[in-house]
Amino acid sequence: MSQGEPIEILMVEDNPADVRLAQEAFKLYKIKNKIHVAKNGVEALQFLNKEGAFAEMPSPDIILLDLNLPLKSGREVLEIIKEDSVLKRIPVVVLTTSEAEKDILHAYDHYANCYVSKPVDFDNFAEVIRKIEGFWFSVVKYPTRT
């Protein structure tokens, strides 16, 4: 990926309101990255493996992963990603409402790159997105996309 090129973001989130909040936060802070959404863990893995309807999708540079997902939980998705020799290089930011110690430990035990508790109100949520953007989308260097 060249300098200044938009970051490809895969947001794995089943709550349309949270997706909308993230999209609004990106607009508010004029973040020009591309957000792709998977509504459950199965879709996330299909996206990452370029299967079915996701065959032509780009490889994401970063994954924003909720833990509480239908069909396949975010915990399972994280484990699968971090066991795959190619996918494990994609940074995974766990972005979830859970503040349970067992979830935090599980995420880090399975190599999540960071764990962020998702605020419920827009202003705080937007601020979290701004901080994620400031670090993950502006400071971090990514490997070349495959």
Side-chain angles (χ1 to χ4, degrees):
M1 170 177 29
S2 63
Q3 191 75 317
E5 188 177 334
I7 301 291
E8 298 285 347
I9 302 163
L10 174 58
M11 183 173 196
V12 187
E13 175 61 63
D14 64 317
N15 184 337
D18 285 349
V19 171
R20 204 168 30 260
L21 280 176
Q23 291 168 332
E24 290 301 317
F26 276 75
K27 281 183 203 168
L28 176 67
Y29 291 113
K30 297 175 177 52
I31 301 169
K32 300 292 185 200
N33 300 306
K34 298 178 184 175
I35 303 175
H36 307 277
V37 178
K39 299 179 299 243
N40 58 61
V42 171
E43 276 190 12
L45 293 172
Q46 290 172 335
F47 186 102
L48 292 167
N49 292 305
K50 300 178 184 278
E51 296 172 352
F54 302 102
E56 301 299 318
M57 299 306 285
S59 296
D61 297 302
I62 190 167
I63 300 167
L64 303 178
L65 179 65
D66 188 18
L67 293 182
N68 302 309
L69 299 168
L71 304 181
K72 189 172 287 291
S73 75
R75 293 162 198 81
E76 293 172 286
V77 171
L78 177 62
E79 290 175 24
I80 292 166
I81 290 169
K82 294 304 181 176
E83 289 172 357
D84 184 281
S85 63
V86 174
L87 298 178
K88 70 180 180 183
R89 295 182 182 136
I90 303 170
V92 176
V93 174
V94 173
L95 183 60
T96 188
T97 55
S98 174
E99 294 184 9
E101 186 69 15
K102 68 178 174 64
D103 287 335
I104 296 168
L105 289 172
H106 182 273
Y108 286 119
D109 285 346
H110 291 88
Y111 308 105
N113 296 88
C114 71
Y115 191 102
V116 179
S117 293
K118 190 171 21 175
V120 292
D121 66 279
F122 177 73
D123 291 337
N124 289 329
F125 189 88
E127 182 62 16
V128 164
I129 293 295
R130 187 187 67 76
K131 288 178 180 178
I132 290 171
E133 186 275 335
F135 181 72
W136 288 104
F137 308 154
S138 301
V139 175
V140 171
K141 300 286 184 218
Y142 294 91
T144 304
R145 289 186 193 129
T146 54

